Amino acid sequence: MVKVKNIVLLQAVIIIYTVSSVMSKQASASGGNLLRFGFFFGMEFVVLGVYAVLWQQMIKRFELSVAYANRSMAVVWSMVWAVLFFHDSITVQNVAGVLLVVAGTWIINTETEAG
């Protein structure tokens, strides 16, 4: 049975993973400022390193199929960061896609509880 606490921890690890995309986009927007580029590029590697260690712990707690299904939630978190940090707009297609991902992840998680 998948515990809610473990799902929350897994989502936290996925959030950490998506922060690396924010760092990457910030590095690409450095506009020739090498100090800014170096900082965000370096932070991307730090975030990915932390994620790699935490992800190893998560796949010990979950069946691999469940862990990877939850990893698809990165789409949701990436959209949140796009709106919060980069003021991107959300389209109906974005919302529909995210709802499909959330529904699929929910089905995988509840199926594991029942099985």
Side-chain angles (χ1 to χ4, degrees), residues 96-107:
V98 165
L99 288 175
L100 284 172
V101 168
V102 170
T105 303
W106 181 78
I107 289 168

Side-chain angles (χ1 to χ4, degrees), residues 2-9 113:
V2 178
K3 295 180 180 177
V4 173
K5 174 186 152 193
N6 287 339
I7 293 291
V8 170
L9 286 172
E113 288 178 15

Side-chain angles (χ1 to χ4, degrees), residues 52-90:
V53 170
L54 294 175
W55 180 250
Q56 295 302 313
Q57 298 306 309
M58 289 298 103
I59 60 177
K60 288 180 184 177
R61 293 178 183 226
F62 292 92
E63 293 178 24
L64 199 55
S65 61
V66 173
Y68 272 97
N70 277 273
R71 194 169 163 190
S72 66
M73 291 294 288
V75 173
V76 174
W77 298 113
S78 295
M79 190 167 73
V80 169
W81 305 146
V83 170
L84 288 178
F85 296 119
F86 306 110
H87 309 292
D88 290 354
S89 56
I90 300 174

Side-chain angles (χ1 to χ4, degrees), residues 13-58:
V13 172
I14 293 165
I15 288 169
I16 290 169
Y17 172 69
T18 61
V19 168
S20 72
S21 298
V22 174
M23 297 299 144
S24 178
K25 183 155 175 128
Q26 289 291 350
S28 71
S30 64
N33 182 335
L34 290 179
L35 186 60
R36 178 183 162 92
F37 174 80
F39 174 76
F40 284 110
F41 189 67
M43 286 304 298
E44 180 180 5
F45 278 99
V46 168
V47 169
L48 287 173
V50 169
Y51 162 74
V53 170
L54 294 175
W55 180 250
Q56 295 302 313
Q57 298 306 309
M58 289 298 103

